[in-house]
Amino acid sequence: DAKTTQPPSMDCAEGRAANLPCNHSTISGNEYVYWYRQIHSQGPQYIIHGLKNNETNEMASLIITEDRKSSTLILPHATLRDTAVYYCIVRVRHRGSNYKLTFGKGTLLTVNP
Amino acid sequence: NAGVMQNPRHLVRRRGQEARLRCSPMKGHSHVYWYRQLPEEGLKFMVYLQKENIIDESGMPKERFSAEFPKEGPSILRIQQVVRGDSAAYFCASSPPHGTHEQYFGPGTRLTVT
């Protein structure tokens, strides 16, 4: 699996958009970008995934650069409940031995009132 | 729909005792994954199981740890002769048989070895 690099921490004001970057410069053509988050002491929660195109769901938007070497997770209107560690994970979609999720250190997003 | 359930949520064991952690996957899910999160560290994959089969246990310590997912009932992660270094949060995740990207995680079991 391609290695990812994320800033260790970020702050965001409540109600503002939170933009969380992720670098994955060694990503290969069949690897997807996944985002999960872990609110303190809880199990991780799936947020969104993408391959090439930008994606949006009810939780967030995912912007992937054209060369696929980096991506940004966007929480459009951050709330205090979005304070969590956000993990960017790159892997092949559920084939062979690549079903396991490899979590790095992630980004601790703190949403401030 | 009930999510992934784990019990107990908190487990205290003395050194040398056995710990049994249970995971009931979401309805219709036949794939189960176990992860361990040591204090102040990220989650590490331990084992991947399908019903009655261990598919990948490459992340599981070679001794004292075992996992099963029987035809009926929950998946069990068993730790024999626990040591203080086993103190961690153990998370279970599940996914349906085909065509999904995401894994759905349970709330975790926090094991404390005294």
Side-chain angles (χ1 to χ4, degrees), chain A residues 12-87:
Chain A
C12 177
E14 189 178 18
R16 297 293 189 117
N19 298 287
L20 293 97
C22 180
N23 284 320
H24 31 79
S25 58
T26 59
I27 193 170
S28 57
N30 62 347
E31 288 182 309
Y32 286 73
V33 179
Y34 296 80
W35 283 83
Y36 281 75
R37 73 179 181 183
Q38 186 176 24
I39 297 170
H40 182 60
S41 297
Q42 297 182 22
Q45 177 188 23
Y46 164 83
I47 301 172
I48 199 168
H49 74 273
L51 181 63
K52 288 189 255 189
N53 300 321
N54 299 337
E55 302 288 344
T56 296
N57 63 19
E58 64 279 2
M59 288 183 69
S61 295
L62 174 60
I63 308 298
I64 303 174
T65 58
E66 194 168 341
D67 63 7
R68 304 213 317 127
K69 292 185 176 181
S70 66
S71 60
T72 302
L73 178 74
I74 301 172
L75 307 179
H77 306 286
T79 70
L80 299 178
R81 286 178 292 183
D82 291 322
T83 292
V85 177
Y86 287 77
Y87 298 100

Side-chain angles (χ1 to χ4, degrees), chain A residues 32 34 36 38 40-46 49 87 91 93-94 96-97 99-105, chain B residues 9 31 33 35 37 42-45 48 55-56 58 91 95 97 99-103 105-107 110:
Chain A
Y32 286 73
Y34 296 80
Y36 281 75
Q38 186 176 24
H40 182 60
S41 297
Q42 297 182 22
Q45 177 188 23
Y46 164 83
H49 74 273
Y87 298 100
R91 71 171 172 97
R93 176 192 170 186
H94 210 279
S97 63
Y99 37 74
K100 64 186 79 170
L101 293 171
T102 302
F103 290 85
K105 295 188 182 300
Chain B
R9 295 291 306 277
H31 296 195
Y33 317 80
Y35 294 81
Q37 187 169 33
L43 290 96
K44 304 292 184 191
F45 168 81
Y48 165 40
I55 307 302
D56 181 354
S58 60
F91 292 97
S95 66
T100 184
H101 284 264
E102 56 264 36
Q103 295 179 12
F105 282 79
R110 273 143 195 88

Side-chain angles (χ1 to χ4, degrees), chain B residues 59-77:
Chain B
M60 195 108 90
K62 294 287 184 280
E63 297 179 355
R64 303 188 296 108
F65 285 72
S66 63
E68 63 176 7
F69 188 17
K71 188 176 179 182
E72 302 290 338
S75 175
I76 307 286
L77 179 67

Side-chain angles (χ1 to χ4, degrees), chain B residues 37-52:
Chain B
Q37 187 169 33
L38 294 168
E40 307 303 322
E41 292 190 17
L43 290 96
K44 304 292 184 191
F45 168 81
M46 297 181 75
V47 62
Y48 165 40
L49 309 103
Q50 297 178 14
K51 284 282 187 182
E52 299 184 279

